[in-house]
Amino acid sequence: MRSVPSNQQNGHAAPQSSRDGRSADKEKEHLKMTKNCLLPKSRSWTASTTSHGPTSPMSTGGIALLLSVQQHKFDGILTIGKVVYIFDLVVFVTLVALITTRFIRQPRKLWVSLTHPSEGLMFPTFWLCIPTIVGGMVQYGVPVTGLWLVTVTEVIFCERQLTVQSMTPSWLLPIFPVMLSGTIASLISPTLSPTRLPAVLVAGLTFQGLGFWTSLLMYSIWMVRLMQDGLPDLNLRPGMFIAVGPPSFTGLALIGMARSLPVDHGYFVEHPAGVDYLQVAALVFAIFI
């Protein structure tokens, strides 16, 4: 019986292995191209999240606060508010993790981000998220936890020239954390003792006034910019709504702090009518601005 050469026995195996090798190379090349395509997009998305991401939990926390202070309540509104507040916490933690990851992987981007003409102005929005989180903590947490959370709330108390042509209402953001001290004071004041309440109200009113009058100075620059150069670019126009924040927060803070005035403590013991006068004055001024 004739023996068949080994090269003839494996005549079909060699082409098959070569085809498998080529398909594996093509698959690796495809994965490499997919990675190269997705990596720039992921970096772009992370950079966008860093610059504008903190505005999302800021707005979500505001919605949770509004649900907690509604006068006409129905069954389940507090549950809805708690769900929104928990979602706000999840979004905040996720964004902080993403931003931290970006700057750990690219440390040089931190200084570039802070000194960027538009992205640097978004840095204070991180601190704007804190008042909404603290306010939600007081509204949803204090009633079910106890005095220890009240004690926690008591404890909470780059060189670049910008031209008028580049002015946007985002310039107001650096003063927002100071101004929102009044908003925090109006939120936590109902839970404080009469002995601690006056100091919180005075500090809140002081910083709220500082932020409001500073924003008025910025409004004049904003009007000059609109008169000279018209509306900003399309991607910057949504930021124009930031200008309505200071008077709105000021009116809310004044009304809230006036409602928390201690009727049976200090000056108001001998002048109980002063509470009514101040509450009316706060309401009128809030409507006026």
Side-chain angles (χ1 to χ4, degrees):
M1 186 174 183
R2 294 177 58 186
S3 62
V4 181
S6 60
N7 57 353
Q8 293 182 10
Q9 290 179 353
N10 300 329
H12 298 285
Q16 180 66 27
S17 61
S18 62
R19 284 196 298 269
D20 294 340
R22 287 195 297 268
S23 62
D25 293 339
K26 289 182 179 180
E27 185 177 355
K28 290 181 180 180
E29 184 178 357
H30 177 71
L31 291 176
K32 184 177 180 180
M33 292 177 61
T34 304
K35 182 179 179 181
N36 292 335
C37 292
L38 293 178
L39 188 58
K41 293 182 179 180
S42 63
R43 289 177 178 174
S44 177
W45 181 82
T46 307
S48 178
T49 302
T50 305
S51 58
H52 299 90
T55 57
S56 299
M58 180 178 64
S59 305
T60 309
I63 295 175
L65 284 178
L66 288 176
L67 292 174
S68 66
V69 297
Q70 290 296 317
Q71 293 184 352
H72 305 285
K73 297 183 178 180
F74 58 87
D75 295 338
I77 189 171
L78 289 180
T79 302
I80 297 174
K82 290 178 182 179
V83 172
V84 175
Y85 180 66
I86 293 173
F87 176 72
D88 174 53
L89 294 179
V90 173
V91 173
F92 179 76
V93 173
T94 303
L95 290 175
V96 170
L98 290 174
I99 293 172
T100 304
T101 302
R102 179 198 178 192
F103 291 140
I104 290 176
R105 296 180 61 183
Q106 299 175 330
R108 296 180 180 178
K109 293 293 184 180
L110 176 60
W111 178 250
V112 174
S113 176
L114 293 176
T115 57
H116 192 275
S118 59
E119 186 175 342
L121 295 173
M122 292 296 169
F123 174 72
T125 58
F126 169 81
W127 304 105
L128 294 179
C129 300
I130 304 301
T132 58
I133 293 176
V134 173
M137 181 174 62
V138 172
Q139 296 295 328
Y140 298 111
V142 170
V144 295
T145 55
L147 297 178
W148 69 269
L149 194 56
V150 177
T151 305
V152 173
T153 59
E154 292 177 356
V155 177
I156 304 175
F157 252 33
C158 91
E159 184 178 356
R160 177 177 290 271
Q161 297 200 2
L162 302 175
T163 61
V164 176
Q165 290 76 17
S166 64
M167 198 280 176
T168 65
S170 300
W171 286 20
L172 298 172
L173 293 177
I175 198 62
F176 264 59
V178 176
M179 181 182 63
L180 290 180
S181 299
T183 306
I184 296 178
S186 67
L187 291 172
I188 69 175
S189 55
T191 64
L192 300 179
S193 62
T195 56
R196 296 181 179 272
L197 184 58
V200 174
L201 293 179
V202 171
L205 182 63
T206 301
F207 288 110
Q208 188 72 38
L210 174 62
F212 176 72
W213 294 116
T214 303
S215 66
L216 286 184
L217 299 176
M218 293 295 183
Y219 287 155
S220 60
I221 304 175
W222 174 235
M223 293 304 298
V224 172
R225 185 249 186 274
L226 289 178
M227 294 296 181
Q228 290 184 352
D229 302 291
L231 295 174
D233 296 335
L234 291 176
N235 61 329
L236 298 177
R237 290 182 186 180
M240 295 174 63
F241 290 100
I242 298 176
V244 305
S248 303
F249 281 116
T250 301
L252 176 66
L254 291 177
I255 294 175
M257 287 187 288
R259 288 180 177 179
S260 302
L261 290 173
V263 183
D264 54 351
H265 181 76
Y267 172 83
F268 298 107
V269 174
E270 299 179 359
H271 305 85
V275 175
D276 296 331
Y277 294 151
L278 290 176
Q279 289 179 350
V280 172
L283 178 61
V284 172
F285 188 73
I287 296 173
F288 174 76
I289 60 177

